Structure formats: structure tokens, C-alpha cells
Amino acid sequence: MTRTPTLPWLEPGAPFPPVERAWGARDPIPGLLAAGGALDVPTLVSAYRHGIFPWYGPEQPILWWSPDPRMVLLPQAFRLHDSLRKALRAALRQGRLQIRIDSAFDAVIAACANTPRPGQDGTWIVPEMQAAYQALHRAGHAHSVEAWWEGELVGGLYLVNLGRAVFGESMFTHRRDASKMALAALVAACRAWGVALIDCQQQTRHLASLGAAPLPRRQFIQMLQQALDAPAPRWRFDPLYWNHLWPQAPLDLATHTVP
């Protein structure tokens, strides 16, 4: 008979257990580290600095995770598929797409929570989670990358940033490829800023198709600690960042359009 391992219960303000104590592949829920605690800004910052993130559903306690391996997108490994590249070039050439950062954070996280997703019933972005990341945004640690189409918000994502590390949380799209365009803009900015890694947390086929790959947790933590030592970038999007995605066909420096 297999014994279920004990899951630590955290009181608010209590330190996290070492990530090596997260449940492993032979345990009931691999990657689960602890339950309880709080979603205040200091706790969230501490969690991300240690490679830990919260994820839970309605009527569940706060659950903290540190999976092994960890799904990570290295900015230089991003796969810009031809169809997305062509759609981006056309949208930019026509002046229909605009990328903005932090102009509608609350709207982005609400859309991520409320947009139906195939194969999913409900959302993990419960109201307490939304409020927590809104507070994290006001503290300067959470950001939104937004795709605006002819003045309408049609897609985007929100993330956490500490140092030169970026932790992707969720994305939404109300127009074909809009969330991918926002992700491509994030990758372009990360290349320009020297961001070392974009943490994707969970392994999915969709993320793998865009270049994300699993890293052993030990390697992820090492990369994270190095990235935390660097200063955080200034979160604004310059259209010239697109040059980091297609250096062989750069944006026109005068008009910011695609030649």
C-alpha cells in the first residue's frame, strides 16, 4: 500500500519549503509543494524568486507548485512560424495592429479569466487571484502585453517580472492569432532587453510548438538566480523591437512599417 506524502500547510507569512520537497513523479500530484499561506505581494514575490507559483481552482485552498521539469521558453528559441510572421507583417504594414504594455492590465487579466477555452470548464484565475495580481501590478512586478486591432483590445497576456526573468501567467485571444502576436511582441522585447528566460510553468503541446521546452528544475533554478541579479527592464514597447524577430527584413526606421 502506497502512503500519500504529507503536504505542508503554510500560515500567512511563513517561509516556503525548499522546492526539492515538492511532490515527485511517483507522488499523487507531481510538482505540488505546499498549501495555504497568502496571496499578498511579499509572498508572491518570494514565491517567484524561489521558482514557486500559485495555481488552484474554485473552493480549493491556495496551492503552491514547483514542477520538475519546468517548461521554459528561451527567447532565442522562439519559433516564429511562417503563418504568424506573414500575419504580423501584414498587420504592421497596414497599421492595424498596435502593441501596448500595461495600458489595460485589469482588462487583460479579466479576459484571461473569462474567455472560454476548449476542454476547460471554469478558470483557475479566481477573483482572489485576479486581485492578487492587480496588487502585484501596482507594485511594479506584474505586466500586461496587449494586442490592439484598430483600437480594440483583441488579445494579450499577463506576466510577472523580477530582474531579467519573466514568468508567463495566462493569455487570451478574441481575434485569430492575437495572443500569439502579443507573445511574439514579448519575445521581441525580451531579446532587446536581454531577458534570459520566459517561464511557462506547465508543459503543453501549444507551448512546445512555439519553442518552449522542459528544463530540469535544478537548471531552471540556476538560470533564475542569475536572471534575478540583473535589473528589471523598463516596461514599454518600442516598434523597433520587431527587428529582433526578423533581422533580415527590419522595420523601416522612419515609418515603423514593414518593408
Side-chain angles (χ1 to χ4, degrees), residues 24-190:
R26 297 183 179 180
D27 293 322
I29 310 177
L32 186 57
L33 177 66
L39 289 176
D40 54 65
V41 170
T43 300
L44 286 170
V45 170
S46 176
Y48 282 97
R49 290 187 66 87
H50 289 89
I52 302 165
F53 61 89
W55 184 40
Y56 64 100
E59 300 181 3
Q60 290 182 330
I62 302 171
L63 299 176
W64 301 95
W65 302 78
S66 184
D68 187 11
R70 186 74 161 244
M71 197 68 165
V72 172
L73 174 60
L74 303 180
Q76 297 302 325
F78 176 66
R79 294 174 187 158
L80 182 63
H81 297 291
D82 286 344
S83 59
L84 180 58
R85 178 180 55 82
K86 292 176 182 177
L88 270 171
R89 289 168 65 91
L92 293 168
R93 183 174 59 249
Q94 297 162 6
R96 307 178 79 179
L97 173 69
Q98 182 184 24
I99 297 296
R100 304 179 191 173
I101 288 180
D102 289 343
S103 75
F105 183 89
D106 289 358
V108 168
I109 194 171
C112 288
N114 297 320
T115 300
R117 303 173 192 275
Q120 292 188 17
D121 183 16
T123 179
W124 60 272
I125 311 174
V126 295
E128 308 86 70
M129 191 76 87
Q130 292 187 51
Y133 284 84
Q134 287 167 346
L136 203 60
H137 170 63
R138 292 191 296 270
H141 302 304
H143 304 278
S144 58
V145 180
E146 309 146 11
W148 293 78
W149 191 271
E150 298 180 343
E152 179 184 359
L153 178 64
V154 294
L157 57 91
Y158 74 98
L159 56 92
V160 174
N161 166 236
L162 298 173
R164 284 294 200 272
V166 166
F167 309 84
E169 289 299 317
S170 185
M171 60 178 62
F172 81 97
T173 187
H174 291 166
R175 181 183 179 86
R176 182 177 179 179
D177 290 334
S179 61
K180 293 179 183 178
M181 291 179 177
L183 177 60
L186 173 62
V187 169
C190 285

